[in-house]
Amino acid sequence: MAIFNNRLSELDDAIAHATSYKEYTEACLEHDELSGAQEWKEKDPCRDYDYRLIRKRVQRMQLAQSQDDISGLMSILHEGLHGNLGNIASPVLRTQCKIGTKVLIERFIEQVKKALDAIYNADEKEVDFYEKLHFFEETSHAFGRSCLMLSGGAGLGFFHAGVVKSLNEHKVLPTVISGASAGSIIAAMLATRTHDELLECMDPQFIHETFNGWRTWQGFNKKGLFDPRTLENALIKLFDVITFEEAFERTGRHVTVTVSPADLHQHSRLLNAKTSPNAIITQAVRASCAVPVIFNPVQLRAKNAKGDIIPYIPNRRFADGSLMADLPFERLARLYGVNHSIVSQTNPLAVPFLSTERTDPTTLRSMMWRHIGDLAKRNGIFAFDVLEQLVPGKGSKLALHKCRSIIDQQYVGDINILPENHLRNVGKILANPTLEGISNLIEQGEKATWSQLDAIERNTKISETLRSYLKQLKQREARMLKGVKLREVG
């Protein structure tokens, strides 16, 4: 027993200090084998998910596919396919092992993918093209999709680069992305860079050369304590005058930048190719990074039909996106059909109180602490509402309104990727970045993502397969319609 315990301790250390994802997975798999977790994975029964339902679905899909029954496969998938069928996406299932989950769940996901492959490739003498198109449209809409949300965090935001680098290299990067404050810089890179170009942009040397010296003191008698010109020049160099619509046409990614109003009677805005196609990304990011007191608020810009640069939402200025919309999940859900979130969270107001696993309380003590936390949040919101009504002056009311917004937000998602909670990270929040500091944060981001990669792959495999086939079918439909029009003209 002592030998096994010593080996498990050695493997824990190997997992914590792995220098590559390959090393990490090998150590995790050996740990699961020795600890008994592998045996747990191979047994179907478990009270944390409906294994009977999942097993029956697998059997039905296998039978339909063995009989080449495409209509039957479509019916099986139509009747109840969603991301958490039978509670298979529960975070509790991931606490039993270092990597992976129940073999039955992995078999189910793989069987669904095989079923979608069979439907897409089915002979169109049996399954009409438009029947396929309708199936993938309906099923894709009903199933939903994942999003990646990059929080604010000032100088800690370079952690997001490591997260994105890891997701990009393993080809599990969602196509719906939001960024607030520092997160908006990395989000804008995703909006404007292809897969290969991102590899270069996420390099520590490139980031250091671009953002070195962003913190330049300009004094107390200005609208902001720091001179924004270095940051503005870096953003112009990165994004020029590309609009959200132009960026989407280039990369196909649905990227949102959040900004907060600099006055009382406005709500936060989500700037993207749907809501503000002609808005210029550079100004949107500059506004989202305008932390109050640190940088002055910003006037947004857009391109008109002639390509001229004009004011966007004239007479209004905008500031730090994380103040009111650090993680705008509900609005992304309305815009893009998102129902699952991956969060890279570096906000210094939130990180010390968060856990990577969003699990429901299972003991009386944990339920009590959750209830106390909810009460404290509600009471804090109520107190700021009362104070906002009592204090005179627009500036005081605006400050209280922003503080209320910070308390009222949700700072976690379904999967949460967090930096190490080290005191040394605090010093990086408003410091000029060093090459060593950036390298360290990117490395932290990569390593923090490793433990979530297998869950992200499971949660995105079906939705990405659905959307990939739907995209191909729509492209084919466009070519067919174009051919019809050409024949009509002829």
Side-chain angles (χ1 to χ4, degrees):
M1 184 63 70
I3 294 173
F4 281 113
N5 288 338
N6 286 340
R7 182 55 184 155
L8 285 174
S9 297
E10 289 173 5
L11 288 169
D12 283 328
D13 189 63
I15 290 167
H17 297 95
T19 57
S20 69
Y21 186 59
K22 185 174 182 291
E23 280 184 25
Y24 174 85
T25 53
E26 287 173 353
C28 285
L29 289 169
E30 187 178 346
H31 192 289
D32 284 351
E33 194 68 50
L34 274 179
S35 68
Q38 186 60 37
E39 186 179 350
W40 173 86
K41 286 189 265 188
E42 290 169 0
K43 289 181 179 178
D44 294 350
C46 178
R47 66 181 182 180
D48 295 318
Y49 78 115
D50 191 342
Y51 69 92
R52 292 184 181 88
L53 171 66
I54 301 304
R55 189 160 59 193
K56 187 66 176 176
R57 286 294 171 90
V58 171
Q59 291 168 351
R60 289 177 64 196
M61 284 188 287
Q62 287 175 335
L63 179 61
Q65 199 159 352
S66 69
Q67 296 174 345
D68 202 22
D69 182 5
I70 302 301
S71 296
L73 278 176
M74 293 167 76
S75 177
I76 293 166
L77 295 180
H78 256 316
E79 71 185 33
L81 181 64
H82 60 82
N84 198 23
L85 181 68
N87 207 35
I88 62 173
S90 171
V92 176
L93 290 166
R94 299 177 56 215
T95 62
Q96 304 291 332
C97 52
K98 291 293 184 182
I99 195 168
T101 186
K102 288 284 187 181
V103 171
L104 176 61
I105 293 173
E106 293 177 343
R107 193 186 309 140
F108 168 76
I109 293 169
E110 192 57 41
Q111 193 61 49
V112 170
K113 187 180 181 305
K114 287 180 180 178
L116 294 173
D117 294 343
I119 293 166
Y120 177 79
N121 294 310
D123 190 334
E124 290 180 7
K125 293 177 182 177
E126 297 179 17
V127 182
D128 180 73
F129 169 81
Y130 282 101
E131 190 178 354
K132 284 185 187 180
L133 180 60
H134 178 73
F135 168 82
F136 279 101
E137 282 179 330
E138 292 293 317
T139 310
S140 179
H141 177 75
F143 188 83
R145 66 203 303 187
S146 297
C147 68
L148 171 65
M149 296 187 286
L150 309 174
S151 76
L156 296 180
F158 299 118
F159 172 86
H160 299 316
V163 174
V164 167
K165 183 180 179 184
S166 188
L167 295 175
N168 187 48
E169 287 175 351
H170 291 90
K171 298 182 180 178
V172 290
L173 188 64
T175 52
V176 177
I177 300 139
S178 75
S181 195
S184 70
I185 298 174
I186 307 301
M189 287 186 182
L190 288 166
T192 56
R193 264 67 176 179
T194 62
H195 176 276
D196 292 338
E197 289 169 341
L198 278 175
L199 299 176
E200 178 187 341
C201 289
M202 299 300 123
D203 179 70
Q205 186 70 45
F206 176 85
I207 292 175
H208 180 254
E209 289 174 0
T210 305
F211 292 101
N212 184 37
W214 71 270
R215 191 195 73 164
T216 304
W217 180 264
Q218 67 175 0
F220 291 104
N221 296 323
K222 307 290 183 178
K223 292 182 179 179
L225 295 178
F226 294 168
D227 187 341
R229 286 176 294 184
T230 301
L231 176 60
E232 287 171 354
N233 290 336
L235 297 177
I236 291 168
K237 179 182 175 182
L238 284 172
F239 312 122
D240 198 22
V241 290
I242 190 171
T243 66
F244 283 95
E245 185 174 54
E246 290 167 347
F248 173 72
E249 289 172 354
R250 187 169 195 273
T251 65
R253 297 193 184 99
H254 302 281
V255 175
T256 291
V257 171
T258 67
V259 295
S260 300
D263 52 38
L264 266 176
H265 303 293
Q266 285 195 86
H267 297 288
S268 60
R269 289 182 179 267
L270 270 59
L271 305 173
N272 53 53
K274 280 182 179 282
T275 62
S276 49
N278 298 321
I280 292 172
I281 287 178
T282 297
Q283 289 299 104
V285 174
R286 169 65 181 86
S288 193
C289 292
V291 181
V293 182
I294 303 300
F295 289 124
N296 58 300
V298 174
Q299 163 74 66
L300 298 176
R301 302 282 178 183
K303 278 185 190 177
N304 64 16
K306 297 178 180 178
D308 299 326
I309 309 302
I310 58 172
Y312 184 75
I313 315 176
N315 304 320
R316 298 292 185 187
R317 291 183 178 273
F318 293 87
D320 190 347
S322 65
L323 288 177
M324 299 180 73
D326 200 40
L327 307 177
F329 178 75
E330 291 183 3
R331 284 188 279 176
L332 290 178
R334 289 198 297 271
L335 283 167
Y336 299 111
V338 164
N339 58 4
H340 178 264
S341 58
I342 303 159
V343 171
S344 178
Q345 179 57 269
T346 60
N347 194 316
L349 298 174
V351 167
F353 309 102
L354 300 180
S355 168
T356 56
E357 299 298 340
R358 187 179 177 180
T359 56
D360 293 325
T362 54
T363 64
L364 285 174
R365 182 177 179 181
S366 60
M367 286 189 280
M368 181 187 71
W369 279 112
R370 184 180 70 169
H371 182 62
I372 290 171
D374 289 343
L375 284 176
K377 181 175 180 176
R378 291 194 193 101
N379 289 336
I381 292 168
F382 174 73
F384 277 108
D385 284 341
V386 172
L387 286 171
E388 193 177 324
Q389 295 298 318
L390 294 177
V391 300
K394 182 179 177 181
S396 300
K397 287 181 182 290
L398 181 61
L400 288 169
H401 188 69
K402 300 298 186 191
C403 291
R404 180 197 187 280
S405 297
I406 291 171
I407 295 174
D408 196 25
Q409 291 189 62
Q410 180 76 20
Y411 289 99
V412 294
D414 296 295
I415 292 176
N416 301 291
I417 305 171
L418 310 176
E420 296 170 354
N421 198 7
H422 288 168
L423 287 176
R424 66 183 180 186
N425 280 340
V426 176
K428 298 173 184 174
I429 294 173
L430 292 178
N432 275 322
T434 63
L435 180 58
E436 181 184 359
I438 292 171
S439 298
N440 178 259
L441 282 171
I442 290 176
E443 184 180 331
Q444 279 189 47
E446 285 187 89
K447 289 189 173 184
T449 309
W450 291 347
S451 62
Q452 309 290 352
L453 279 174
D454 67 300
I456 292 170
E457 184 178 5
R458 284 195 302 275
N459 283 303
T460 57
K461 181 176 282 188
I462 294 174
S463 63
E464 290 305 311
T465 301
L466 282 165
R467 292 185 180 277
S468 173
Y469 284 146
L470 177 59
K471 181 180 178 181
Q472 292 176 60
L473 288 168
K474 285 191 170 181
Q475 288 173 343
R476 187 174 154 204
E477 182 189 33
R479 291 194 298 270
M480 289 163 61
L481 293 173
K482 185 178 179 181
V484 170
K485 288 179 181 178
L486 288 172
R487 285 196 297 273
E488 287 176 351
V489 171

